[in-house]
């Protein structure tokens, strides 16, 4: 299985690139942010629980997030690979993912991280907020908090997978096509 972690701070272009990658590799896309927004839209207990964290730009607790992720993977047993987008965001999530994949006799193939300067992230997110309808994209303080949470809780996941040589840093500025071809080169090297 091709198990890719598409990594990077909020606004780094993971969603855009994930769409292109699933087309090229024919694998399943799992975005935990999208899953939470779906649950919220349907007012499920899980959605209601996630809502207060998302509104502040905080992380939803690990147990909730990991449980939801496992359900989604288990619901799709016959896929040839998965792009994990926005997951794992903590070391505990990364460890849970590793043991979960291990139980299925597979493992993370590579983590590809999009590298984008902070000012660019903020302006991209504010711009996206005009059309995305996402409350967490509309307020600069919440955006800055999401970036701060990324630095304090999520960035270490890059180092965690560096220890096994799986992390690759990709410049995330330029045209969508240029960034995509950098990603493809890095992924094909890892396979
Ligand atoms: P995203 O769409 O990836 O930017 O995620 C939007 C929000 O959903 C985040 O700010 C968090 O509140 C929540 N979220 C998404 N993925 C995770 C995760 N792996 N762990 C915890 N919270 C998450």
């Amino acid at each position: 299985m091709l198990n890719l972690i598409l990594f990077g701070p909020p606004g780094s272009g993971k969603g855009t690139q994930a769409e292109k990658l699933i087309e090229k590799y024919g694998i399943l896309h799992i975005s935990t942010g999208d899953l939470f927004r779906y649950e919220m839209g349907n007012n499920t207990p899980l959605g209601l629980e996630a809502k207060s964290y998302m509104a502040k730009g905080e992380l939803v607790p690990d147990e909730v997030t990991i449980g939801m992720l496992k359900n989604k993977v288990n619901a799709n047993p016959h896929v040839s690979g998965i792009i994990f987008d926005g997951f794992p965001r903590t070391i505990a999530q990364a460890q849970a993912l590793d043991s979960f994949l291990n139980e299925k006799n597979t493992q993370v193939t590579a983590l590809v991280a999009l590298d984008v300067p902070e000012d660019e992230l903020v302006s991209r997110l504010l711009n996206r907020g005009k059309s995305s309808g996402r409350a967490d994209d509309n307020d600069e303080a919440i955006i800055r908090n999401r970036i701060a949470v990324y630095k304090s809780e999520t960035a270490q996941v890059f180092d965690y997978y560096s220890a096994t040589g799986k992390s690759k840093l990709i410049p995330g500025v330029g045209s969508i096509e240029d960034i995509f071809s950098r990603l493809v080169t890095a992924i094909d090297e890892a396979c």
Side-chain angles (χ1 to χ4, degrees), residues 84-136:
F84 296 94
D85 166 2
F87 183 94
R89 262 173 155 99
T90 61
I91 298 288
Q93 291 180 17
Q95 289 168 336
L97 178 65
D98 283 352
S99 43
F100 179 58
L101 293 179
N102 221 7
E103 285 164 19
K104 297 180 180 300
N105 294 315
T106 184
Q107 57 176 341
V108 169
T109 310
L111 176 153
V112 282
L114 293 169
D115 186 25
V116 176
E118 184 163 337
D119 286 349
E120 170 84 10
L121 296 174
V122 176
S123 73
R124 282 189 194 180
L125 288 168
L126 284 170
N127 204 32
R128 186 171 84 183
K130 291 178 194 157
S131 57
S132 71
R134 283 180 55 172
D136 62 347

Side-chain angles (χ1 to χ4, degrees), residues 32-33 37 54 58-60 65 86-87 89 93 134 146:
T32 43
R37 280 184 288 277
M54 293 175 76
E58 302 287 340
L59 296 184
V60 178
T65 306
F87 183 94
R89 262 173 155 99
Q93 291 180 17
R134 283 180 55 172
R146 287 161 64 202

Side-chain angles (χ1 to χ4, degrees), residues 4-9 11-31 34 83-86 112-116 124 128 170-185 187:
L4 299 173
I5 298 173
L6 188 53
F7 196 74
S12 58
K14 298 189 294 294
T16 305
Q17 295 297 334
E19 279 176 30
K20 297 176 68 64
L21 291 168
I22 52 173
E23 203 176 302
K24 177 168 172 68
Y25 293 102
I27 57 182
L28 177 70
H29 176 208
I30 301 182
S31 153
D34 285 350
I83 294 182
F84 296 94
D85 166 2
V112 282
L114 293 169
D115 186 25
V116 176
R124 282 189 194 180
R128 186 171 84 183
I170 313 291
V173 180
S175 74
I176 291 174
E177 284 308 324
D178 285 348
I179 299 165
F180 179 63
S181 67
R182 286 176 208 139
L183 284 170
V184 168
T185 303
I187 292 165

Side-chain angles (χ1 to χ4, degrees), residues 56-77:
K56 288 181 281 190
E58 302 287 340
L59 296 184
V60 178
D62 283 334
E63 320 80 72
V64 178
T65 306
I66 292 165
M68 178 181 73
L69 185 280
K70 286 183 176 178
N71 286 340
K72 183 72 181 177
V73 173
N74 286 334
N76 292 276

